[in-house]
Amino acid sequence: MDVRSQVSMVFHLDKCIGCHTCSIACKNVWTDRKGAEYMWWNNVETKPGTGYPTKWEDQDIYKGGWEKNGDSVSLKGAGKLKGLKNIFHNPHLPVLDDYYEPWTYKYQDLFTAPEGDDQPTARPVSLVTGEHIDVKSGPNWDDDLGGSQDYARQDVNFKDLSPSEQEVMFQLERMTFFYLPRICNHCLNPACVAACPSGAIYKRGEDGVVLINQQVCRAWRMCVTACPYKKSYYNWHTGKSEKCILCYPRLESGQAPACMHQCVGRIRYLGVMLYDADRIHEVASTKNDADLVDAQLGIYLDPFDPEVIREAQKNGIAMSTIEAAQKSPVYKFVKVWKLALPLHPEFRTLPNLFYVPALMPGMASVQDGIYKETNKQFLWGGIETNRLPIKYLSNLFTAGNQNKIVEVLKRLMAVRWHRRQTTVGDVEQEIVDTAMQEVNLGAETADAIFRLTALATFDERFVIPPAHREESIEMLENTADVKGNTGFGFKEKPERGW
Amino acid sequence: MNYLLFVVFPYTCLAIFLIGSIYRYNKKAFTVSSLSSEFLEGKKLFLASQLFHWGLLVLFFGHLIGFLFPKSVMAWNGQPVRLLILEITAFVFGLSAFFGIILLVYRRLTDRRVQIVTTKMDFVVLAILLIQIISGLLVAYTNRWGSAWFAAFLTPYLRSIFVFNPQIDAIASVNSLSLKIHVISAFSIIGIIPFTRFMHFLVYPLDYTWRSYQVVYWNWNRKNIRVSRAHREGQKSTNN
């Protein structure tokens, strides 16, 4: 057993209101620079939808992630042979138009326009070429199902839904959507790290954050292809790739990452998970896609187990970190309550960002023109007639394992029955008991789930292990002194090479 | 004059190359990049970049083999058919590099997005490569058969440079302008490596072939870090 600690996250999709505050927080702190304008280390997508970059989930196009290769796994579109062969031209590299051409407006024109009969306008100009452009797409162009004919219908996760099943989703009365905020997953088996020919990308041993060393990156661009979540971005100005750094300078000083701190819906949770690094390869090579979620959950260790604690300490993990793992909201959501699922486990990178699937839009339905919240007649009635087909959700979160989705939705539903009974009391006790029994949930656990979901304080949502000076890189630096420089790790003006 | 061109100039270039690239690699690492523009324009780049890079790569190693193993090359050329095969292959890759660079220049001049990331040094690089490739093709065409006489006569000159005992009689007596230009521009290319994106072929990721796929860095030795006896009283850690 090789115990390591990993900073992991849970996003509770039922609580996401799609306000994009997280994206703006991240943009303002990290990517408001030349060459990085188009990057959204944090973005929020509407599902169903094609996302950003367009159709990023379709690995037939982008060749990201790992694929099963005999008893092992190999990179789908990169790797030693493919990577070095394609180094002069990477055929699977998404180009600027797959994201969007960033733009601003000529606000000055509003003031300097000569007097005339028309209102002056601020025309959009490209942030790449500086010329006037007609804006054709943006990072959340299909927000709230906008242009769903062109976008939502192209969602890759419909691949094994029959045309009639898809049609049902797009009937006006049944239309529904939910938001999917995405950041880097800081995977246990990161494809970007494995694909980087320069060895510039690495996983930090202490907390598992995946970083790109800007001084070693040589713009071979393989990480952009290899990351199946398309969360590694190429900076066209500096000629270096960049990605989410999980705000590690903030983490090291005990603060939540900017996107999580700003989250209006308080959907984000962050905490430590202990895992067994010896089993990474075995878990990533799991035979059936449908078993991947369970296999991945198996790699995370119980931080209360004395054996685990002993091994962790042997590996130099501080007791304070182990205590943080015991209090970790992520551990509760993922391992104890089994409510959170990884996004696209079939990419086999073992992502460390988990999602509690949205129950709300799925359960509500319109019958005979009347909007009904949940179906009281049948215990799990709403799940069977889910407006978001279980198959669709399973393509997103469980690699096609529909039972797992139903399990999670039932547990969420049971908590609701229980809370309804507690606070309003208009549900028959029998229904509540049946529900709770079927998903094996006690009243205390249900209350704990409710508390962490709805009432959790800042310190309950973000259990950041106390900073250890000897581990941290930046905490003794005065970052204001070096504002405008490349940032963290080294100090230099971020100028393009020559 | 010949002494200046074929002794002083090569040594100057080599010295600049050595000092400059070591300095830049260590002190200006952030600027070392292949500066790929594929992200801005990927379609036109495909043919251009492939033709150009593979052409140059083969030619470079061809020259290297002629330089390192002149006897083997001469032995290989013992039969006219084999000489012809070698010459034609080399010429084809030369043409490949030539058409590649023409396409690259065209792309850089015409594509709006690529223009944005074009610097003056890019034009220097393209110009000198054009000179190098065209002069090389001319040499191959007019002074046949290069693979035969290169081994017999340029190799000794290059060797004499590298053993610090320059013998320039042979090269100075050559009556071919294109050959002289080819040699001079070759040394110029070496000389400007530290100041251009040429740096990227020095950092070709060969070590990727043998390193393990996953990379994990520990900022500190995790086994010793919190053992109290390893506590370093009064020592400042390296990161501060």
Side-chain angles (χ1 to χ4, degrees):
Chain A
M1 204 192 299
D2 181 5
V3 182
R4 290 184 194 168
S5 94
Q6 167 76 45
V7 177
S8 319
M9 304 142 273
V10 164
F11 289 3
H12 199 306
L13 297 185
D14 251 340
K15 298 168 71 183
C16 182
I17 57 172
C19 63
H20 300 269
T21 306
C22 45
S23 306
I24 298 301
C26 177
K27 168 116 319 232
N28 279 339
V29 177
W30 298 118
T31 59
D32 193 10
R33 293 171 282 123
K34 190 173 180 189
E37 303 97 338
Y38 84 95
M39 296 180 197
W40 293 86
W41 292 355
N42 179 110
N43 74 307
V44 184
E45 289 168 12
T46 302
K47 281 283 162 196
T50 47
Y52 156 90
T54 311
K55 290 182 131 186
W56 62 272
E57 293 155 293
D58 192 344
Q59 303 311 340
D60 291 337
I61 302 174
Y62 291 116
K63 310 280 181 197
W66 302 85
E67 60 184 357
K68 195 93 182 75
N69 184 2
D71 289 336
S72 186
V73 282
S74 57
L75 288 167
K76 199 177 169 86
K80 293 183 179 178
L81 201 66
K82 287 178 218 164
L84 293 182
K85 191 186 71 174
N86 291 334
I87 205 159
F88 302 137
H89 183 278
N90 178 357
H92 313 304
L93 182 80
V95 294
L96 186 63
D97 298 311
D98 290 320
Y99 300 83
Y100 72 105
E101 184 161 353
W103 74 89
T104 184
Y105 295 95
K106 282 186 136 179
Y107 296 107
Q108 196 64 39
D109 286 359
L110 298 178
F111 299 98
T112 57
E115 206 177 316
D117 294 336
D118 303 317
Q119 280 278 13
T121 52
R123 285 179 70 188
V125 281
S126 164
L127 281 171
V128 180
T129 61
E131 290 167 358
H132 291 295
I133 57 165
D134 290 323
V135 177
K136 292 207 181 68
S137 66
N140 55 341
W141 208 241
D142 56 346
D143 213 20
D144 294 354
L145 291 184
S148 57
Q149 292 292 336
D150 295 328
Y151 297 102
R153 275 173 197 271
Q154 301 296 319
D155 190 315
V156 184
N157 301 296
F158 288 140
K159 59 182 186 291
D160 46 10
L161 265 70
S162 69
S164 59
E165 276 174 306
Q166 291 185 32
E167 207 43 55
V168 167
M169 279 196 74
F170 291 106
Q171 284 170 13
L172 205 55
E173 310 81 50
R174 286 184 61 98
M175 243 187 190
T176 186
F177 62 85
F178 63 97
Y179 298 106
L180 185 73
R182 304 198 298 121
I183 66 170
C184 167
N185 292 287
H186 298 278
C187 306
L188 294 183
N189 186 31
C192 58
V193 175
C196 177
S198 310
I201 315 185
Y202 60 98
K203 196 170 178 64
R204 288 216 301 194
E206 287 83 2
D207 53 11
V209 176
V210 177
L211 296 172
I212 302 178
N213 185 338
Q214 294 286 298
Q215 288 188 310
V216 183
C217 173
R218 308 285 180 228
W220 307 124
R221 320 170 299 291
M222 292 302 160
C223 56
V224 185
T225 296
C227 174
Y229 301 95
K230 291 290 165 281
K231 280 292 168 192
S232 180
Y233 300 90
Y234 180 66
N235 183 320
W236 53 264
H237 173 64
T238 59
K240 306 272 167 171
S241 287
E242 301 178 8
K243 65 180 284 300
C244 160
I245 60 175
L246 203 58
C247 288
Y248 75 83
R250 288 176 63 91
L251 279 183
E252 284 177 2
S253 51
Q255 303 172 76
C259 59
M260 309 206 180
H261 199 127
Q262 290 274 16
C263 181
V264 174
R266 302 181 178 181
I267 76 156
R268 299 186 177 209
Y269 302 81
L270 179 135
V272 171
M273 294 278 258
L274 299 179
Y275 69 99
D276 182 2
D278 282 340
R279 294 192 55 219
I280 293 174
H281 183 259
E282 170 206 329
V283 170
S285 315
T286 302
K287 201 167 161 224
N288 296 318
D289 279 355
D291 301 330
L292 272 165
V293 174
D294 281 330
Q296 187 183 345
L297 293 198
I299 203 171
Y300 299 109
L301 302 164
D302 177 1
F304 297 96
D305 182 349
E307 166 83 17
V308 170
I309 294 175
R310 197 164 51 245
E311 291 290 326
Q313 284 183 315
K314 227 188 266 177
N315 266 358
I317 296 174
M319 201 54 216
S320 56
T321 306
I322 298 171
E323 277 161 15
Q326 293 172 343
K327 282 189 281 184
S328 165
V330 181
Y331 182 73
K332 286 179 192 145
F333 268 118
V334 174
K335 277 283 273 193
V336 184
W337 302 334
K338 297 195 181 345
L339 289 174
L341 299 163
L343 178 65
H344 286 298
E346 73 274 21
F347 298 157
R348 293 173 186 270
T349 60
L350 312 186
N352 284 304
L353 164 52
F354 300 87
Y355 294 89
V356 179
L359 183 66
M360 194 57 186
M363 306 314 281
S365 63
V366 176
Q367 284 166 5
D368 306 326
I370 299 163
Y371 184 82
K372 295 195 171 181
E373 279 175 20
T374 46
N375 197 328
K376 273 193 205 167
Q377 278 77 43
F378 313 102
L379 192 49
W380 311 118
I383 291 175
E384 281 146 23
T385 56
N386 198 336
R387 285 195 295 165
L388 281 166
I390 298 294
K391 215 187 253 181
Y392 175 76
L393 288 174
S394 73
N395 284 341
L396 267 170
F397 298 116
T398 58
N401 186 339
Q402 299 184 39
N403 291 339
K404 278 231 85 75
I405 291 283
V406 173
E407 222 173 88
V408 170
L409 292 183
K410 278 186 175 176
R411 288 173 86 80
L412 290 170
M413 198 67 207
V415 173
R416 280 193 192 200
W417 283 124
H418 170 73
R419 288 306 303 175
R420 178 90 189 179
Q421 167 72 359
T422 313
T423 53
V424 186
D426 65 344
V427 189
E428 283 169 41
Q429 187 63 40
E430 203 190 326
I431 292 187
V432 179
D433 290 344
T434 325
M436 300 280 276
Q437 260 166 30
E438 199 173 314
V439 296
N440 211 358
L441 211 60
E444 256 175 58
T445 317
D447 285 332
I449 293 173
F450 163 72
R451 178 171 171 80
L452 197 56
T453 304
L455 305 173
T457 62
F458 192 90
D459 291 334
E460 283 171 274
R461 283 181 282 129
F462 307 114
V463 183
I464 300 160
H468 289 281
R469 209 173 90 157
E470 62 277 23
E471 271 182 12
S472 69
I473 296 175
E474 300 299 334
M475 62 180 293
L476 298 181
E477 300 244 4
N478 184 358
T479 46
D481 288 348
V482 288
K483 201 168 158 57
N485 284 346
T486 21
F488 296 91
F490 64 99
K491 313 289 179 284
E492 210 174 282
K493 287 278 178 220
E495 280 163 353
R496 182 177 170 81
W498 57 82
Chain B
M1 182 66 188
N2 278 327
Y3 186 76
L4 211 62
L5 282 179
F6 296 110
V7 180
V8 178
F9 185 65
Y11 280 123
T12 316
C13 289
L14 287 170
I16 293 174
F17 160 67
L18 274 178
I19 298 166
S21 44
I22 290 171
Y23 175 81
R24 186 169 169 195
Y25 184 82
N26 287 311
K27 297 286 177 195
K28 290 266 174 201
F30 184 68
T31 66
V32 180
S33 163
S34 64
L35 295 177
S36 162
S37 54
E38 185 186 350
F39 178 74
L40 296 173
E41 196 292 310
K43 286 203 181 81
K44 280 181 252 173
L45 182 71
F46 171 71
L47 192 65
S49 176
Q50 298 279 31
L51 282 177
F52 171 75
H53 278 101
W54 289 111
L56 276 199
L57 202 67
V58 170
L59 290 176
F60 174 76
F61 280 102
H63 283 67
L64 195 68
I65 290 168
F67 170 63
L68 292 176
F69 314 106
K71 293 214 176 75
S72 322
V73 175
M74 283 196 274
W76 167 273
N77 284 338
Q79 283 184 15
V81 183
R82 294 201 286 199
L83 169 76
L84 219 55
I85 291 173
L86 188 65
E87 284 286 324
I88 290 173
T89 318
F91 201 74
V92 166
F93 279 100
L95 285 178
S96 152
F98 177 70
F99 287 120
I101 197 169
I102 294 292
L103 290 173
L104 285 174
V105 171
Y106 174 75
R107 170 177 175 273
R108 197 161 277 285
L109 290 178
T110 54
D111 192 277
R112 190 69 194 100
R113 286 182 188 167
V114 181
Q115 282 173 9
I116 294 297
V117 292
T118 301
T119 59
K120 281 179 201 140
M121 268 332 220
D122 290 339
F123 287 115
V124 175
V125 163
L126 288 170
I128 202 160
L129 279 172
L130 259 177
I131 294 173
Q132 182 71 358
I133 293 170
I134 293 173
S135 64
L137 286 171
L138 279 175
V139 170
Y141 186 72
T142 54
N143 306 43
R144 280 171 245 176
W145 305 95
S147 63
W149 56 253
F150 180 94
F153 143 98
L154 257 188
T155 301
Y157 161 66
L158 290 176
R159 282 212 173 158
S160 72
I161 291 278
F162 282 102
V163 297
F164 300 104
N165 180 21
Q167 306 289 330
I168 59 166
D169 297 344
I171 183 104
S173 63
V174 164
N175 197 16
S176 161
L177 188 63
S178 49
L179 179 63
K180 283 183 178 170
I181 291 177
H182 194 66
V183 173
I184 298 292
S185 81
F187 280 115
S188 323
I189 287 178
I190 293 174
I192 63 168
I193 285 176
F195 310 104
T196 58
R197 63 201 300 173
F198 280 142
M199 277 300 279
H200 77 273
F201 60 68
L202 297 182
V203 292
Y204 183 81
L206 253 192
D207 57 339
Y208 186 44
T209 46
W210 59 79
R211 83 149 213 248
S212 73
Y213 269 127
Q214 296 299 355
V215 182
V216 177
Y217 283 174
W218 301 87
N219 287 319
W220 298 86
N221 185 336
R222 58 189 174 125
K223 306 273 181 190
N224 297 334
I225 186 166
R226 282 182 203 85
V227 184
S228 58
R229 64 177 179 282
H231 179 67
R232 289 160 297 177
E233 195 71 50
Q235 261 187 32
K236 225 180 167 195
S237 66
T238 52
N239 283 315
N240 296 303

